[in-house]
Amino acid sequence: SAQPIDVRLERAGSVGGRILSDAGEGLAGVEVELLRRGYLPGGSTRPVTVAFAQTEGGGTYQFKNVTPGEYYVRAYASQSIRPTRRDVPRSYVATFFPEAIDVAFAQPVVLASGQELAGVDFGLTTSRRRSVSGQLVDPAGAALASAKVHLMPHSTGPQEMLEARPDGAGKFRFTNVPAGEYLLMVADLSNQRTWNGIVRDVSVFEDVTDLRLVAGPSV
């Protein structure tokens, strides 16, 4: 006869708290993510977003119907939500609980079966805005007026793609860049060259200078 199979059902719970400004006040309209480690080919892992929420009045947020397990909480604000300090150009950056910009320093939140976990409060980290500069090079010496340089944020936050045009010598510069991780690309209307080989990741937590981007022959 078939052996009985025991199936254990875990009750869902919730995770909630407050997101605070650099002055310690609740921030409304902030996007919050709940992340769980996912496995990548080769056995490595990285946090993967499994739920979204947005803070309400007083900076409160809550994720409902969360299954038991270990999670990370990350929050990010649109560029229209500015830090209270205005003495230097600063912006809020994507922040993991409890105030870490790198997941390596984030603290996991462990949810038991049926637990209503509250008090996952943390403040958004601020960082000075930075600059990114460099030069486009066409080995054939052709004009670069048809090229544009793009910085695309890696995060799922509301940051927009930034665009810069090179000058006659191919030099370009982004100013007032919010700190974060970006993908740098070049778009070009010319069909005489390609920039596919220069797509790269750029960490903008300090000023980035002297990027040299050399075009390849058109394919």
Side-chain angles (χ1 to χ4, degrees):
S1 62
Q3 296 295 318
I5 300 175
D6 293 330
V7 178
R8 182 180 179 183
L9 299 179
E10 299 278 7
R11 291 188 299 127
S14 66
V15 176
R18 297 178 68 213
I19 303 300
L20 308 174
S21 71
D22 56 326
E25 300 172 346
L27 280 175
V30 173
E31 304 296 331
V32 190
E33 295 175 318
L34 191 68
L35 304 99
R36 197 167 190 173
R37 285 204 175 274
Y39 288 92
L40 300 175
S44 61
T45 64
R46 70 175 177 86
V48 177
T49 303
V50 295
F52 294 91
Q54 188 177 69
T55 59
E56 300 177 354
T60 61
Y61 70 91
Q62 186 179 47
F63 297 100
K64 299 179 179 179
N65 299 317
V66 181
T67 56
E70 183 175 282
Y71 297 90
Y72 295 92
V73 181
R74 177 171 60 185
Y76 47 83
S78 68
Q79 295 305 307
S80 63
I81 302 177
R82 303 297 299 273
T84 56
R85 282 189 58 191
R86 300 296 177 89
D87 51 334
V88 292
R90 302 182 74 87
S91 59
Y92 288 119
V93 296
T95 306
F96 288 92
F97 173 77
E99 302 186 19
I101 60 174
D102 189 331
V103 69
F105 302 102
Q107 178 180 318
V109 173
V110 180
L111 186 70
S113 177
Q115 183 180 10
E116 303 289 328
L117 183 61
V120 184
D121 306 346
F122 60 103
L124 284 178
T125 300
T126 67
S127 176
R128 289 191 62 171
R129 292 179 173 235
R130 298 295 180 178
S131 66
V132 176
S133 60
Q135 184 174 17
L136 302 185
V137 177
D138 183 337
L144 294 158
S146 62
K148 300 177 184 178
V149 186
H150 292 147
L151 273 180
M152 179 176 291
H154 266 309
S155 73
T156 54
Q159 291 175 255
E160 297 180 354
M161 182 174 69
L162 305 177
E163 180 181 291
R165 287 185 175 274
D167 63 13
K171 294 183 178 180
F172 64 89
R173 182 179 178 84
F174 295 91
T175 60
N176 212 26
V177 180
E181 301 285 347
Y182 292 84
L183 189 68
L184 185 145
M185 302 169 291
V186 177
D188 198 340
L189 296 177
S190 172
N191 59 6
Q192 302 301 310
R193 58 191 169 220
T194 178
W195 302 93
N196 291 341
I198 63 88
V199 175
R200 65 184 64 178
D201 293 316
V202 180
S203 295
V204 187
F205 293 102
E206 299 291 340
D207 291 340
V208 178
T209 60
D210 300 326
L211 288 171
R212 182 177 170 83
L213 311 176
V214 181
S218 178
V219 178

